[in-house]
Amino acid sequence: MCLGVPGKLVELYKSGDLLMGKVDFGGISREACLEYIPEAKLGDYVVVHVGFAISLLSEEEAAATLAVLREVSDIEAELDVRPGELQT
Amino acid sequence: MKYVAEFRDAELVKRSAELIRAEVSRPWTLMEICGGQTHAILRYGIDELLPEEIELVHGPGCPVCVTPLEQIDKALALAALPNVIFTSYGDMLRVPGSGRDLFSVRAAGGDVRVVYSPLDAVRIASENPDKEVVFFAIGFETTAPANAMSVYQAARLGLKNFSVLVSHVRVPPAMHAILGGEHNRVQGFLAAGHVCAVMGYWEYPSIAERYHTPMAVTGFEPLDLLRGVLDVVKLLEAGEVGVVNSYARAVTFEGNRPAQDLINKVFQVCDRKWRGIGNIPMSGWELRPEYAAFDAERRFDVSAIQSEESPVCIAGKILQGQLKPPQCPAFGTLCTPQHPLGATMVSSEGACAAYYHYNKADLLSEVKHG
Amino acid sequence: MAETMKTSLEGMVCPVPLQHQERIVQGHGSGGKLMHDLIAKYFVAAWDNPMLNAGNDASVIATQGAARMAVSTDAHVVTPLFFPGGDIGRLAVCGTVNDVAMLGARPLYLTASFILEEGLEIATLEKVVASMHAAAQEAGVQIVAGDTKVVGKGMADGMYISTTGVGLLAEDTRIHGAAAQPGDLVIVSGSLGDHGIAVLAARGELGFDTDLESDVAPLNRLIAEMLEASQNIHVLRDPTRGGLATTLNEIARQSKAGIVVKESALPIKPAVDAACELLGFDPLYIANEGKLVAVVGREDGERVLEAMRKHKYGKDAALIGEVVAEPAGRVLMQTLIGSHRLVDELMGELLPRIC
């Protein structure tokens, strides 16, 4: 129930009554229905599942998740402490 | 691929594993309830990276595996009808019914077509007005918005030859059934990230409270899975109960409102039988009366189906996390991907198939320790 | 006065059978003049060599003193007939040239047998035949015998082609699936999965677009360069249907050894990666038609890689793994994140999944 793949919205159009878009996954692209993410703009990244965009990806949240890990590992390396010994 | 590759970074994965190791002070049993997560855990060997104290147990998260045998048999009967084009997601083609699968129906002349999106099935219906097009609408909440749209669209287009065979299941009732079960040993939960992308996670805090089981909404890449484990373990070690969003880049508390609205417009909650588990009340979705015309079970007579499970298959115990696939006496001998006895061996998300393909423990240990 | 009908002799038409210049009809397969004309005009004219021109049912080929010959046969049933990067004709020639060359043999002669669907446009056949000619020229082989049959409308998906290839083997060449030794290095000649995904896209059923092209190519000249560079090439195989995973499993089983590959070393184009993510495929199982796997004695790994990278069909060659003693007969992968998992051979059909 889970194969959702992130892709970049590169085109927006209507097909009949439906809001559709072309999503670029990096070398391949596919049409996806955007009815569930009507606020999506060109250049946004969406999660696509069976031809439907179900979620808008947050750049900030993604960066935050990675940053915490990178920061922690950088600091630990600098201070030469074992993982988890820092009060985070 | 952006938003994918970064979350597979070997260094950061190592760090995450170390953080978990530093956090753990005693054994914990965690369950994930998403076929895609089961697949990812085994495919990336995540369990190899976790400390021994953490046991990951796989719940009934594969919609293919839990689709009741009766629905599979109805699908097979419909696909065999002469004027029907039977459309389905690829996963379902190899799932055994009582003796056949959709492949064998196709081999016998049935028009069975794989579609990537339910809108493709609607298109096939518009392009083939002389044929009846049936779409096998299976899945959890992640897939429900797409399946709902196919019915909604078909209605808007006035299509008379499109119908759906519905077999939708919902996660929260399954969680109640497992956590409230007599033999439950699950202490922490990894909630399915894309189910929550659609539904939000507002349903989960009350479940966490009731069963005193902390949860983390978890994604699918190695870093996401480890993050979910870390967040749950932290709560467990602290003796706290709560729900953490460990997949914040794709999931919000309320979830996707337009998707939820359309699901509620087209579907209504119903009881649903889960293959290998039995009936879980209010755990399914069925078409609302306004859309009854699109129900394949009403349009065609599929009432006289007799379904028979293999007596040997213990998929039920596997799906409830009580046993691991290698503990099944038929695993790898009577039951293999070439001769599957149950859906958990057929579906690539099924726990049994995943173990068979990725993780023959005896062979792996020779590499890890040899 | 009654009018009499005027009889005119001007409109006389002689009911000579139509020439059927545009589409294949049943008569093209029946062994008569229609078939002979088709063969002469389209096959022999395009492939033009003394053996074919002799017009016999079989051809005599020269063995040039070689003590052993390699022979291989294949049927080709691809849909659509034309896809980005190639067509069924190129596929047929390259497929069989490659199978013969994978034994370290020099491919020389091909036969080509056609099963044509009634109604197939002859212009299509012409294009395929021309493509086969180009591929044969590139590979340095000649097509010396063939057959043509016609089946009813609705059968054969346009056309099926079956090819058999013959090549010459030097006396001391011992390249085959059971020859891998623990310590050997595993090399792949370039990016994986291009053909399978390109054809899937061309079929249009799953609705995705890509610029990806099939990699279909004859590899015999690349192999010749590799054999020049090293006497220690133990196994050569092309990972066609079933992909790299299936090929490595075959070699592991035949050689009774294990193979470990590193996921981070596998050359995979972003488009193939993305298509596999979208559909739930593993690139290890996708077909390649212009790639080879080489298992090489450890000491010659660098030299072979260098030789490959100088050739247009080996420029992306990569060292992807090694042969080990245990677990015998199995293939393991060290994942991107450092853990290990089994790589099984392909079970049944590759199906897109939603889960």
Side-chain angles (χ1 to χ4, degrees), chain A residues 1-2 4-6 17-18 30 35-37 45 49-52 54-55 57-59 61-62 65 69 73 76 83, chain B residues 1-3 15-16 18 22 33-34 61 116-117 120 140 142-143 145-146 156 194 220 227 248-250 256 259 262:
Chain A
M1 54 184 160
C2 315
V5 185
D17 295 309
L18 293 177
R30 202 196 184 275
E35 286 290 327
Y36 299 131
I37 314 280
Y45 277 80
H49 173 74
V50 300
F52 283 76
I54 57 167
S55 171
L57 280 164
S58 161
E59 177 104 50
E61 289 290 353
T65 307
L69 273 176
S73 57
E76 283 170 346
Chain B
M1 286 177 77
K2 192 175 152 92
Y3 289 112
R15 286 291 153 190
S16 302
E18 284 165 0
I33 189 167
C34 172
Y116 167 75
S117 165
D120 295 337
F140 279 88
T142 323
T143 320
R156 268 211 290 216
H194 289 147
F220 302 86
R227 178 64 185 271
R249 68 183 183 278
N256 186 321
L262 201 78

Side-chain angles (χ1 to χ4, degrees), chain B residues 1 8 10 13 36 39 42-46 48-49 63 89-91 93-94 103 106 114 116 138 143 222 337-338 348-349 356-360 363-364 366-367, chain C residues 205-207 260 263 270 273-274 277-279 282 285 326-328 330 332-333 335-345 347-355:
Chain B
M1 286 177 77
R8 293 179 184 175
V13 164
H39 184 96
L42 288 162
R43 181 237 179 284
Y44 280 107
I46 299 285
E48 193 180 317
L49 300 170
Y89 297 119
D91 320 49
L93 255 64
R94 224 182 298 143
F103 268 137
R106 189 161 73 180
V114 170
Y116 167 75
I138 59 131
T143 320
Q338 289 104 325
S348 39
E349 275 50 50
Y356 190 93
H357 283 302
Y358 295 130
N359 194 341
K360 297 258 193 52
L363 296 171
L364 281 180
E366 292 183 38
V367 166
Chain C
E205 291 151 355
L206 299 173
V260 182
E263 187 174 9
D273 211 9
E277 287 292 325
L278 200 60
L279 299 169
D282 188 334
Y285 295 99
E326 297 289 336
R330 304 307 305 244
L332 291 171
M333 181 156 93
T335 70
L336 279 177
I337 63 173
S339 55
H340 292 86
R341 63 140 168 133
L342 278 183
V343 178
D344 235 338
E345 59 185 343
M347 284 299 148
E349 231 182 85
L350 265 176
L351 292 169
R353 54 189 177 93
I354 67 162
C355 251

Side-chain angles (χ1 to χ4, degrees), chain B residues 35-56:
Chain B
Q37 285 173 347
T38 312
H39 184 96
I41 288 167
L42 288 162
R43 181 237 179 284
Y44 280 107
I46 299 285
D47 46 351
E48 193 180 317
L49 300 170
L50 294 174
E52 268 176 23
E53 292 93 325
I54 309 258
E55 192 194 348
L56 281 177

Side-chain angles (χ1 to χ4, degrees), chain B residues 25 36 67 82 98 113 115 120 122 207 214 227 239 312 323 336:
Chain B
S25 74
T67 303
S98 306
R113 303 190 198 180
V115 291
D120 295 337
V122 175
I207 305 177
R227 178 64 185 271
V312 178
L323 285 177
T336 66

Side-chain angles (χ1 to χ4, degrees), chain B residues 196-255:
Chain B
C196 293
V198 171
M199 300 303 291
Y201 56 98
W202 52 271
E203 293 172 281
Y204 293 70
S206 57
I207 305 177
E209 279 304 319
R210 176 155 169 191
Y211 300 101
H212 207 76
T213 305
M215 305 185 179
V217 178
T218 305
F220 302 86
E221 299 305 331
L223 270 189
D224 296 320
L225 291 161
L226 289 170
R227 178 64 185 271
V229 170
L230 177 64
D231 286 342
V232 170
V233 165
K234 274 190 168 143
L235 288 171
L236 285 170
E237 290 285 337
E240 284 167 28
V241 168
V243 181
V244 179
N245 185 359
S246 311
Y247 191 31
R249 68 183 183 278
V251 176
T252 61
F253 188 69
E254 318 79 36

Side-chain angles (χ1 to χ4, degrees), chain B residues 149-166:
Chain B
M149 184 63 83
S150 74
V151 176
Y152 187 72
Q153 229 349 54
R156 268 211 290 216
L157 293 172
L159 290 178
K160 300 276 173 261
N161 62 333
F162 181 78
S163 60
V164 291
L165 177 65
V166 180

